[in-house]
């Protein structure tokens, strides 16, 4: 008697199905809400830049807005019903990468547009560094603690970053590049640390996803 075995075939997603899958993934991760939050942060930054700030406040205020943007991005790491897209195989990794990548770009662009024509302490390079690094911390928290708690990473680091800025006027000053908000905008070490945190967090999240107790 001949026994026929059927090997599992990888699931393929047709091009027209990709659009629907991406739309459903974005909706389940509250991406529209995150985009609205990024727009609100950008508007808040624009309004705040019209006010008069001392040197310390001029650096502290954008950092708070940047942390808010990072929190808005990382709350999309996990959905309320787990990740039903797992049945699509490799498509889920691309959905994770696309969602985080697009929201990160949206956060940077929104703040850049909001600061256009205004005096932003640290300038564009510091803003990009801070946003990217804060999102990276949120990604790591999402992998370790779960998507529901991913926002705690940027918030806690905000407190640490504010302290780092405080030490620039009150000795002893903290100079480690891992506390990049306290570093000058042209500091290569701070930019590398922020970029490394983002890259590691992104790779881990794309491969493993947020720690979701429903899965």
């Amino acid at each position: 008697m001949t026994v026929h075995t059927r090997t599992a075939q990888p699931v393929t997603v047709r091009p027209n199905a990709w659009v629907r899958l991406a739309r459903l993934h974005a909706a389940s991760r509250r991406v529209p809400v995150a985009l609205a939050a990024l727009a609100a942060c950008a508007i808040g930054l624009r309004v705040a830049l019209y006010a008069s700030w001392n040197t310390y406040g001029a650096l502290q205020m954008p950092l708070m807005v940047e942390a808010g943007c990072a929190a808005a991005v990382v709350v999309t790491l996990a959905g309320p019903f787990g990740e039903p897209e797992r049945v699509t195989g490799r498509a889920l990794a691309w959905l994770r990468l696309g969602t985080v990548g697009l929201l990160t770009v949206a956060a940077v662009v929104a703040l850049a547009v909001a600061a256009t024509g205004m005096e932003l302490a640290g300038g564009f390079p510091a803003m990009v560094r801070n946003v990217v690094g804060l999102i990276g911390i949120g990604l790591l928290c999402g992998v370790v603690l779960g998507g529901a708690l991913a926002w705690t990473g940027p918030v806690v680091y905000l407190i640490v970053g504010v302290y780092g800025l405080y030490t620039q006027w009150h000795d002893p000053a903290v100079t480690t590049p891992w506390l990049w908000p306290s570093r000058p905008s042209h500091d290569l070490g701070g930019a590398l640390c922020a970029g490394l945190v983002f890259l590691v967090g992104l790779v881990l999240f794309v491969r493993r996803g947020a720690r979701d107790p429903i899965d």
Side-chain angles (χ1 to χ4, degrees):
M1 182 177 65
T2 303
V3 178
H4 298 281
T5 59
R6 181 178 296 178
T7 57
Q9 298 295 325
V11 178
T12 57
V13 182
R14 296 179 180 179
N16 58 339
W18 263 106
V19 176
R20 183 171 183 270
L21 182 62
R23 179 174 59 82
L24 292 175
H25 181 83
S28 68
R29 299 310 186 273
R30 304 169 296 276
V31 171
V33 178
L35 291 173
L38 293 178
C41 288
I43 294 173
L45 175 63
R46 183 73 179 190
V47 173
L49 288 175
Y50 282 104
S52 298
W53 300 88
N54 56 26
T55 304
Y56 175 58
L59 292 169
Q60 183 182 24
M61 181 273 295
L63 182 60
M64 293 180 178
V65 176
E66 291 153 3
C69 286
V73 171
V74 299
V75 295
T76 66
L77 297 189
F81 307 109
E83 291 186 317
E85 304 93 337
R86 289 186 187 278
V87 297
T88 62
R90 296 179 181 178
L92 181 55
W94 290 107
L95 291 171
R96 291 169 178 165
L97 178 62
T99 300
V100 173
L102 290 175
L103 286 177
T104 300
V105 172
V108 171
V109 171
L111 295 186
V113 171
T116 300
M118 308 295 289
E119 186 175 352
L120 179 65
F124 183 76
M127 183 268 290
V128 175
R129 176 196 65 194
N130 293 343
V131 169
V132 168
L134 286 163
I135 292 175
I137 292 174
L139 291 172
L140 291 174
C141 283
V143 173
V144 176
L145 302 177
L149 295 176
W151 61 271
T152 61
V155 172
V156 171
Y157 191 81
L158 167 64
I159 299 173
V160 177
V162 169
Y163 171 74
L165 291 173
Y166 173 83
T167 64
Q168 303 307 304
W169 285 269
H170 303 82
D171 293 331
V174 177
T175 59
T176 174
W178 293 104
L179 199 57
W180 54 80
S182 64
R183 305 293 295 170
S185 60
H186 60 272
D187 182 69
L188 179 60
L192 289 177
C193 288
L196 180 61
V197 169
F198 178 79
L199 181 60
V200 172
L202 183 62
V203 170
L204 290 176
F205 172 68
V206 169
R207 289 178 60 88
R208 301 177 55 183
R211 183 181 178 183
D212 194 335
I214 298 178
D215 288 345

